[in-house]
Amino acid sequence: MSCIRSIVAVSFLASIGVSTAVTAQEMISDTTARKQPLTTWGVQFEEFEYRYSDDDEELGVWNADAFYGTDEFKVRLLTTGEYEIEEQAYETLENQLVGQIPISKFFDAKAGVRFDTPEGPDRTYAVLGVAGLAPQWFEIDANLYVSKDGDTSAELDAEYELLLTNYWILAATLDATVAFSEDREIGVGKGLVSTETGLRLSYDLIDRAFSPYVGVVHERKYGDSADFAEADGGSTADWFAVIGARIAL
Amino acid sequence: MKTRLLTGLLSLLMPAMVMAGEYDLTVDRVKIDTGDFVKEGIGYNGVSPGPVMRFKEGENVRINVTNNLDEMTSIHWHGLILPFDQDGVPGISFPGIKPGETFTYEFPIQQAGTYWFHSHSGFQEPDGAYGSIVIEPEGREPFRYDREYVVQLTDKHPHSGDRIMRNLKMMTDYYNRDQQTVGEFFSDVSENGFMNTVRDRMAWGGMRMMKADVEDVHGFTGLINGKGPDQNWTGLFEPGERIRLRFINSSAMTYFDIRIPGLDMTVVQADGNNVQPVSVDEFRIGVAETYDVIVRPKDEQAYTIFAESMGRSGYARATLAPEKGMEGSVPPMREPARLTMADMSGMPGMDHGSMSGMDHGNMDMSSSGDMSGMDHSNMGSMDHSNMEGMDHSNMKDMDHSGMSGMSGMSGMDHGSMAMGTEEKSDPFYAKGSGLMPKAANGGKFLSYADLKAQDPLYEVREPTREIELRLTGNMERYTWSINGVKYEDADPIRLKYGERVRFKFVNETMMTHPMHLHGMWSIVDVGAGQWNPIKHTVSVQPGTTVYMETEVDAPGQWAFHCHLSYHAAAGMFRKVIVEGGPESTQAKTDVIAKDGGEV
């Protein structure tokens, strides 16, 4: 009997143990990562390509961006360059560092600085822009630039992806620049400056991380900018065959 | 003789005493081989999935969990009723289990049925940290079976959870490979005409919503008990036996439509609670749900357990066979699901074209108590042609209890109110939803409306208050929230011990959300009054409103969240604080002391 009693006693003690554990319960506050804003990052090369023009010009071109941040605030580095392979010189080289915040369901506002350091004169601009997804699936990136000398210009980037299949994608891009004042030194005339239109057929080879493509790109200069280009011995319209890859890390 | 007497006495006394079971689990880095790929992951006792933990109702369990990882971990006992500090959610129940540390969980088992456990830290669960729980009831089961198997599903992905989350944040359609293509445009043109197809594409493009947005994460291999389709997990049987299959969906993101061609399935339990048996040909299992079904294969042949994902981006497969190595045929997957405008109907401020004049979202019938305000006689004049997309699910708040006088209508079937369409429809989906389940053989597909509690746990009573939770999000940004607020910015939901809260889920997104309240039961309002089923995870389909009631009987603080891993991590998560409680400790010990005294 004493044996039973002791077992009962043990179970009794165990129960008390559980009960006291209940009283000792403490409502902790959540300091885990879950309660913090989710921080994320990404690197994307929208274009990473070799271009061959109709007058035998060869270019290495990239257009990439990297971001780090939360839903509420991201820092984004945008970089784009055109490297003239034969002359071993940068035709264009732009780097932007912007902060980005959401302003509507589908659009973000950006503000920051842009440094142009190609072959020839450098420029520094303040950047104000919006980027996002417009109705009917157009990816839009629109920016206003003000140079240190007060020259202003605007740039619109638009992209549309047509899914031939879920892996073969035909991407159409349009990039147009308008200047509100002339900057003769870098060949920019007032009015519509230039457009770049592209059509690229890609295949998603490894997830969306590596998608090789081929395509055509047409570059054109307009108005005074075209005249400046001609005066400087450059071309005003070029067709390029391109081969490259879209890369996402 | 003396010892025999003693053991006899002991066994007599057993029920009155607390049994204690001791269990050990280690949390380990493991290799997961799906047959399609091999992936480093996390498991328990050296494997993923972890073991089947077999408990007995009424026992006290002690579970020693040793963390062999180089990061924090935790185990949440999904669906178990226990003290909140044993619930295993870091930051809410306890701080978590440090690397190298052994944490001992200790709690009484107060229920029976099929459950599961998983890590609640980071993305360890999608990475493989899950296992199953089977609790043997104290009393007799209300159904018979000769053998049983756990059938635990998951959607194992070649990418780690962290990487998936980052990719979704970078590009929300990163994994979606069932998007609408040029080819689909032309096939739609030939079916519906050019202008209709263009109009359809413009309508969706205008919203910047994808009809194909059914599953965020494609590219997984469906596993059953850790085995991929080619590895073919096989459960053996003798023809004529009744087999109880304990289905558990441990997926990170994937709902599965499950069928066993050639066999009727009798659903006997949902989320660990027995339901009145219902015979079905197919059922959809939401993430984190469990369903127990009984099958009785009479022939000496192999049967395929086929589990297609809801969006048809992948499947899991297993076999029931009289002998190892036998295989049934594996059916092809059906066409990928496409959302319809009906699935968008929960979104505020959306223009539904022909539906614009009919705001069903505001059909609030709960206010009328009895149904006197609803004039059925006028329903004949409703223009049925415009009603595609009408959301009947919003009518579930009709107070059926007030209808008791209308005996003829007690069995009122919302599905049959389909107003002109002949197709069977599930009232838990928006009318005309692209996700509306259909059995592959044209037979019976389980609905929540079919679930009736076998043995209600609580007396029915009026809820003390209603709390509306709008399920919100932005697919393009991959943000998910409740009432538009992410967890990081949200105040806790405060409940009072002893109240009965009616939760109103309004799904304003185009995705399905399996909502899981920890620590207390979710009594889903299927219109069955006291027989409403008792669950731990409640699926809320796009464009629908679902009600559940909770008896607030567990003090402490608890997690409450969408069980899709990447939705929860993106912010569709809340802390629930239950204030007050019995002046328990003293009272409880008193009772125990008294019981002890009587022995």
Side-chain angles (χ1 to χ4, degrees), chain A residues 199-214:
Chain A
L199 208 55
R200 292 175 180 81
L201 177 66
S202 66
Y203 181 79
D204 288 347
L205 199 62
I206 305 168
D207 300 321
R208 295 193 199 271
F210 184 69
S211 313
Y213 60 76
V214 293

Side-chain angles (χ1 to χ4, degrees), chain B residues 6 16 59 108 135 201 215 284 384 431 446 480 510 545:
Chain B
L6 205 62
E59 77 172 322
I135 308 174
R201 294 300 194 272
E215 288 168 351
R284 177 168 291 173
H384 293 170
K431 189 81 187 82
L446 183 73
W480 299 101
M510 68 307 185
T545 298

Side-chain angles (χ1 to χ4, degrees), chain B residues 425-446:
Chain B
S425 67
D426 182 330
F428 281 82
Y429 289 77
K431 189 81 187 82
S433 166
L435 302 176
M436 187 72 73
K438 281 192 197 78
N441 66 356
K444 170 72 184 161
F445 202 109
L446 183 73

Side-chain angles (χ1 to χ4, degrees), chain A residues 23 25 28 30 34-35 40-41 71 104-108 133 136-137 163 166 204 207-208 249, chain B residues 85 90-91 159 166 169 173-174 176-177 179 182 202 205 208-209 474 477 479 486-487 490 557 585:
Chain A
T23 37
Q25 283 170 344
I28 58 173
D30 193 347
R34 188 192 307 120
K35 194 65 183 162
T40 184
W41 60 274
D71 292 332
S104 74
K105 197 169 171 193
F106 294 102
F107 278 89
D108 283 357
L133 185 67
Q136 309 306 337
W137 307 105
L163 271 60
N166 265 286
D204 288 347
D207 300 321
R208 295 193 199 271
L249 305 174
Chain B
D85 60 356
H159 291 175
R166 196 173 69 76
K169 276 289 191 185
D173 65 344
Y174 191 97
N176 192 329
R177 295 295 183 179
Q179 298 182 39
V182 173
M202 295 292 279
R208 288 156 276 187
M209 298 280 174
N474 181 334
R477 298 185 183 278
T479 54
K486 289 182 286 185
Y487 177 60
Q557 56 183 10
T585 334

Side-chain angles (χ1 to χ4, degrees), chain B residues 34-36 221-222 227-233 315-317 327 330:
Chain B
T34 68
D36 292 338
T221 297
K227 303 282 183 215
D230 296 335
Q231 297 165 330
N232 190 24
W233 177 86
Y315 69 95
R317 169 246 187 164
E327 284 185 31
V330 180

Side-chain angles (χ1 to χ4, degrees), chain A residues 16-77:
Chain A
I16 289 185
V18 169
S19 314
T20 44
V22 170
T23 37
Q25 283 170 344
E26 213 187 311
M27 298 220 227
I28 58 173
S29 66
D30 193 347
T31 54
T32 61
R34 188 192 307 120
K35 194 65 183 162
Q36 308 304 317
L38 184 75
T39 306
T40 184
W41 60 274
V43 177
Q44 272 177 276
F45 281 80
E46 203 55 49
E47 293 163 14
F48 186 75
E49 66 197 21
Y50 166 80
R51 291 188 186 177
Y52 185 84
S53 85
D54 50 355
D55 53 0
D56 297 336
E57 194 187 14
E58 286 179 274
L59 295 174
V61 175
W62 76 87
N63 182 358
D65 81 84
F67 73 89
Y68 177 84
T70 64
D71 292 332
E72 273 67 46
F73 182 75
K74 286 184 186 70
V75 175
R76 193 176 286 269
L77 174 74

Side-chain angles (χ1 to χ4, degrees), chain B residues 315-455:
Chain B
Y315 69 95
R317 169 246 187 164
T319 299
L320 295 174
E323 274 172 54
K324 271 261 174 260
M326 285 177 75
E327 284 185 31
S329 65
V330 180
M333 279 200 287
R334 286 165 281 184
E335 285 290 298
R338 294 285 181 246
L339 299 176
T340 66
M341 284 294 165
D343 297 307
M344 301 289 137
S345 59
M347 285 184 194
M350 261 200 183
D351 180 11
H352 300 298
S354 64
M355 284 179 63
S356 53
M358 305 172 64
D359 190 357
H360 290 276
N362 290 333
M363 271 178 79
D364 187 3
M365 295 180 180
S366 58
S367 57
S368 54
D370 66 356
M371 291 182 63
S372 54
M374 186 175 170
D375 185 353
H376 282 120
S377 60
N378 283 340
M379 286 177 76
S381 62
M382 282 166 98
D383 180 357
H384 293 170
S385 60
N386 282 343
M387 289 188 65
E388 190 197 358
M390 175 171 167
D391 185 357
H392 284 139
S393 60
N394 283 338
M395 295 172 68
K396 275 191 303 298
D397 56 334
M398 287 194 283
D399 186 353
H400 290 180
S401 59
M403 290 172 62
S404 52
M406 307 169 71
S407 55
M409 288 182 70
S410 58
M412 185 169 156
D413 177 6
H414 290 160
S416 67
M417 283 175 70
M419 316 259 175
T421 49
E422 290 301 313
E423 277 190 7
K424 293 171 204 145
S425 67
D426 182 330
F428 281 82
Y429 289 77
K431 189 81 187 82
S433 166
L435 302 176
M436 187 72 73
K438 281 192 197 78
N441 66 356
K444 170 72 184 161
F445 202 109
L446 183 73
S447 161
Y448 272 7
D450 299 319
L451 299 176
K452 309 272 185 313
Q454 173 79 244
D455 196 9

